[in-house]
Amino acid sequence: MIKPRNMMLLGLVLLILSPLVLPSYQITLLNYIGLYALVVLGLVLLTGVGGMTSFGQAAFVGLGAYTTAYLTTTQQLPEWLAWTAGSPWIALVFGLLLTAVVALLLGALTLKLSGHYLPLGTIAWGISLYYLFGTLSSMGGHTGVSGLPSLQLFGISLDKGEKIFYLIWAAVTGAILISRNLLNSREGRAIRALKGGQLMAESMGVNTFRSKMAVFLISALFAGLSGWLYAHTQRFVNPTPFGLSMGIDYLFMALIGGVGSVWGALLGAGVLTMLKQWLQDLLPILLGSDGQYESIVFGLLIVFMMQRAPGGLWSLVIRLIPARYQADTRLVVNDAAADLPRRPLPAQGTLVLEAMNVTRRFGGLVANNKMNLQLHAGEVLALIGPNGAGKSTMFNQLSSVDTPTEGEVRFLGQSLKGKNSRAVASMGMSRTFQHVKLLPAMSALENVALGAHMRGNQGVISASLHLEREEEQRLLKEAKHQLERVGLGAYLYEEAGSLALGQQRILEIARALCADPCVLLLDEPAAGLRFQEKQALSDLIKKLKTEGIAILLVEHDMDFVMGLVDRIVVMEFGEKIAEGLPEEIQTNPAVLEAYLGGAE
């Protein structure tokens, strides 16, 4: 049996031998595939993983290309640039710096957009940069710049496709390693969490804007590097390859290969490049050379493929490869790794969470009106009421997802005014969601490890260079511990989306516990569960209570609540109508009238 790693080594050897055995034309195609793959790798991270669609990546390619064209061909550089002496390697540094600055500025403007506004924003600045390239007279306008020098490396002139081939594919290999390292890390999980919803990610302590900016910057740098290589491969630059049309082609490459896969980027770049070439060669013979038949046929083929393989060609390839030849992508957990530090829990009975006259208005609608409640360490408090009572709104005030119009919420003695859900999570409050918010394609282990995001501090650079392995093992060990703690230890490597609803709700609790909270907020945890699943959930909550965690649960299932909690707060029409022990609530006339439909 051939091991997956050996198959990868075999592919690398074939790549190294390619310039020695293939004709120049084929090497040229491979060079273009490598250049395109660099850009598409960035799109896989940005669009496939981060969920942000960009049509403007070609403009970043242009920034890298035009920067080196200017620095290497201008006869009289400004004094502050004269020291570069036309060096392409210094131009690479300048190109990446310029690309990073522009990406940061554009990201600050567009990444706060959502829905269809984000891709429209990328179209806008992509077109703007394209026309900027064409209007710069110093850069030859639409005619372009010629006479770029060939690259020199270790005294060897990379003036032919066969020579620069190795540099292009070394850059692609490096980008693949960086991408894979990043995705299999704490920062990578944060980026992947963006597709699961910003509310969920922020509640786990993820700075979603920072994660968006990080992946946007990386994708732009990959594109800028591709532009630099393109310029010194062609030794000529004009605006044509950096317009919206090419930006759309890059997206097509990602979709064709598999927008969620690093290897799909290579496959998509190769298939699209070769397919275009074959159509351009074949269709004029069959249909004549009077029309753009290749564009028509190409478009129809893409539509057909998107219908038959919406996950891209890589997903089809994976299905065809026997399981024994596929790499084992499961994360290995080192049980000998050091434990993460834990926060000290407040003493039993300590007041940890308090709502004081909390009122929330939405225009003329009063969703919460002068709500008061208290939660103590080691206590289970239920917030119940009929549908529309304002429970979820109150839950959002307590977790800083929303801000009270009047009144105040205090957590561990501190006011939560001006604090967002991420800040509150770092203080020791964790939560689940009424509608389960998991990343279904990720394993249970990875989903739970996301909850420990705040307990790590290694950044994007460390993750990309694979320097955060020690911390990563500590985070994974904690995630495994929490899964075992809630009874899901046998499902470490199962996809979260394949678990039953009851298991998914327990999985959310494990993720919340991974943040090491002293207060746990559960939003309708028993909704949709069968009797035995409710029993398992009840046993888990009782266990957490004995460990000293304060738990507030929002529920409307009276049977589930009564034998579980210490106290109950009942809401109706946004107001508290009763508070007390379960047996008191069961006989309260106001509760029976409002919640149970009236006393007999």
Side-chain angles (χ1 to χ4, degrees), residues 457-492:
N457 53 35
Q458 295 291 332
V460 172
I461 294 176
S462 296
S464 300
L465 299 179
H466 214 48
L467 301 177
E468 42 41 283
R469 289 298 93 187
E470 181 179 348
E471 179 184 271
E472 176 70 0
Q473 281 301 317
R474 298 175 75 187
L475 297 176
L476 293 177
K477 180 184 177 183
E478 176 69 12
K480 179 182 177 183
H481 166 69
Q482 298 300 344
L483 280 165
E484 292 171 343
R485 183 183 185 186
V486 301
L488 292 178
Y491 300 93
L492 291 181

Side-chain angles (χ1 to χ4, degrees), residues 104-426:
L104 289 173
L105 290 173
L106 294 176
L109 292 173
T110 57
L111 293 183
K112 292 182 179 179
L113 301 174
S114 59
H116 58 274
Y117 293 107
L118 176 58
L120 287 175
T122 66
I123 290 173
W125 56 251
I127 292 175
S128 298
L129 287 174
Y130 168 73
Y131 281 111
L132 176 65
F133 299 146
T135 54
L136 289 173
S137 57
S138 59
M139 291 286 93
H142 284 282
T143 303
V145 182
S146 59
L148 274 72
S150 59
L151 295 174
Q152 303 285 328
L153 185 62
F154 303 121
I156 301 173
S157 177
L158 307 182
D159 55 352
K160 294 182 179 179
E162 293 83 354
K163 295 180 179 179
I164 203 170
F165 171 91
Y166 293 109
L167 182 60
I168 290 173
W169 282 96
V172 174
T173 303
I176 289 173
L177 291 175
I178 287 172
S179 300
R180 287 173 61 85
N181 290 343
L182 178 62
L183 293 178
N184 293 321
S185 71
R186 165 181 171 270
E187 289 288 350
R189 284 189 294 274
I191 293 168
R192 292 155 79 181
L194 296 175
K195 293 184 75 173
Q198 293 190 44
L199 173 59
M200 180 273 286
E202 288 279 340
S203 297
M204 296 300 107
V206 175
N207 185 331
T208 53
F209 184 74
R210 178 183 173 277
S211 293
K212 286 181 179 181
M213 189 66 83
V215 73
F216 187 71
L217 180 60
I218 292 170
S219 68
L221 291 175
F222 283 177
L225 175 59
S226 176
W228 177 78
L229 288 165
Y230 170 84
H232 290 285
T233 300
Q234 291 288 97
R235 301 175 67 180
F236 168 78
V237 173
N238 77 340
T240 303
F242 313 127
L244 181 60
S245 176
M246 196 63 209
I248 294 172
D249 278 355
Y250 288 132
L251 268 177
F252 277 149
M253 291 177 193
L255 290 171
I256 288 171
V259 74
S261 166
V262 169
W263 298 112
L266 286 179
L267 185 60
V271 168
L272 188 74
T273 303
M274 300 301 294
L275 184 60
K276 273 193 167 184
Q277 193 62 49
W278 291 335
L279 291 175
Q280 288 172 0
D281 292 343
L282 181 62
L283 291 179
I285 298 174
L286 299 176
L287 303 174
S289 57
D290 295 333
Q292 296 290 325
Y293 296 112
E294 67 272 11
S295 297
I296 298 171
V297 174
F298 177 67
L300 292 174
L301 286 174
I302 287 179
V303 171
F304 176 78
M305 201 214 76
M306 289 295 100
Q307 289 181 334
R308 295 295 181 181
L313 294 176
W314 184 250
S315 61
L316 297 180
V317 171
I318 290 296
R319 289 179 208 164
L320 295 174
I321 297 176
R324 65 180 182 275
Y325 294 135
Q326 294 186 26
D328 187 356
T329 57
R330 295 187 303 178
L331 298 174
V332 177
V333 182
N334 181 9
D335 292 322
D339 293 329
L340 291 173
R342 300 197 179 280
R343 74 175 81 242
L345 292 175
Q348 189 84 9
T350 303
L351 178 62
V352 291
L353 183 64
E354 183 177 18
M356 298 180 291
N357 294 317
V358 169
T359 298
R360 184 66 173 103
R361 295 189 181 93
F362 297 96
L365 173 66
V366 181
N368 295 143
N369 186 28
K370 297 187 181 302
M371 278 294 301
N372 292 277
L373 61 79
Q374 294 182 335
L375 177 67
H376 301 84
E379 178 186 35
V380 180
L381 174 68
L383 182 62
I384 69 172
N387 289 332
K391 303 186 301 296
S392 294
T393 303
M394 188 63 193
F395 192 92
N396 287 337
Q397 315 302 307
L398 295 172
S399 57
S400 278
V401 170
D402 198 4
T403 303
T405 307
E406 298 172 12
E408 185 180 37
V409 176
R410 298 185 68 83
F411 176 45
L412 298 177
Q414 296 185 44
S415 173
L416 297 187
K417 283 185 178 178
K419 290 183 168 60
N420 57 25
S421 57
R422 186 174 72 252
V424 173
S426 68

